[in-house]
Amino acid sequence: MGKLMMYVVWMGLSMGAALRPPTVIGFSADYNVTEEVVHLHWITRNAPAGEKFIIQRSLDSMHFVAIGQTISVGGQAVQHYYFDDPKPIGGKIYYRIAEQDASGRLYYTSAATINKPITSLMIGNLYVDSTRQVHFAIISPQASIANITLVDLNGKIWQSYLVNLKQGNNLFATDLKHLSPGIYFFQVNDKKGGGSAMLRFAKVNDTTYRL
């Protein structure tokens, strides 16, 4: 995802969903096992030129993170759009399109889901919510106990604690407002021999984190 800013989008009318029919008339997600890429495809009809399509991903079907966007080409005809997620983080993953019109109103598609086989311990899906809590996910191939450690570039340990992991997606939240801007690492080590994983991120300020 490069330097894409991470932020959470909550479901529901409170985010500005409007009553007019959306122009997205079809949306699908397909996981390519060979390429390890999720291919997204959506179809629009009568989408005004310049309208924005925000691609969102979730591990719980409630809290979605933006992973990319594209702009409508306009026109009265049916149009097809494609987007690849090259970093699916495993387990059951939900995708949707947030269609944003010129006034900033959002119209959401129904979520499309894929199931990626979990073959190793993974950590990712970092985002910050409206209360400035930082969320992340650990995807585990087995039920286990793991140690989560937060360290900085100098090796200083800021957090260290044990968690119970279930097989599949495990979601966590923590308060990092006490940290100064800089580079940090979440490290997770399975205590039952399931391996380890690490997530590098940069804290810009209390509301902005980048991978």
Side-chain angles (χ1 to χ4, degrees):
M1 294 176 62
K3 294 184 179 299
L4 179 68
M5 185 182 300
M6 307 295 293
Y7 60 94
V8 65
V9 179
W10 298 84
M11 294 182 69
L13 295 177
S14 62
M15 286 302 297
L19 297 178
R20 81 151 173 84
T23 67
V24 177
I25 59 175
F27 174 55
S28 64
D30 178 66
Y31 177 61
N32 186 304
V33 177
T34 303
E35 299 176 355
E36 295 188 333
V37 171
V38 177
H39 300 296
L40 304 178
H41 170 221
W42 65 100
I43 307 168
T44 66
R45 179 184 290 127
N46 302 329
E51 196 159 78
K52 185 183 296 183
F53 300 112
I54 304 167
I55 301 94
Q56 301 177 345
R57 181 179 65 199
S58 172
L59 295 182
D60 63 2
S61 77
M62 295 180 61
H63 307 98
F64 283 80
V65 172
I67 61 172
Q69 66 180 43
T70 189
I71 302 298
S72 168
V73 297
Q76 298 298 311
V78 169
Q79 301 285 348
H80 293 258
Y81 296 84
Y82 302 89
F83 182 89
D84 287 346
D85 181 7
K87 296 183 179 180
I89 54 179
K92 189 171 185 178
I93 309 175
Y94 304 82
Y95 294 90
R96 72 179 183 185
I97 303 297
E99 179 182 344
Q100 186 176 49
D101 65 18
S103 70
R105 290 177 177 173
L106 295 172
Y107 315 87
Y108 300 108
T109 66
S110 297
T113 61
I114 66 101
N115 288 283
K116 178 187 175 186
I118 304 171
T119 58
S120 62
L121 191 68
M122 294 178 288
I123 181 171
N125 208 55
L126 184 82
Y127 66 85
V128 59
D129 67 21
S130 59
T131 67
R132 301 184 182 180
Q133 287 279 300
V134 174
H135 297 248
F136 61 96
I138 296 174
I139 296 86
S140 177
Q142 63 180 11
S144 188
I145 300 172
N147 179 244
I148 299 175
T149 306
L150 174 65
V151 300
D152 61 22
L153 276 176
N154 297 318
K156 180 178 179 179
I157 297 176
W158 290 89
Q159 292 181 356
S160 183
Y161 49 95
L162 292 175
V163 296
N164 292 312
L165 298 179
K166 64 180 181 180
Q167 182 181 28
N169 301 337
N170 298 266
L171 309 181
F172 299 95
T174 186
D175 188 342
L176 300 183
K177 291 192 287 291
H178 61 288
L179 296 181
S180 300
I183 305 297
Y184 297 90
F185 303 87
F186 275 123
Q187 300 172 342
V188 55
N189 294 285
D190 190 309
K191 307 297 284 186
K192 295 185 178 180
S196 61
M198 182 174 68
L199 176 66
R200 178 187 185 275
F201 66 94
K203 178 180 179 179
V204 179
N205 53 48
D206 285 342
T207 60
T208 305
Y209 293 75
R210 295 193 175 102
L211 299 181

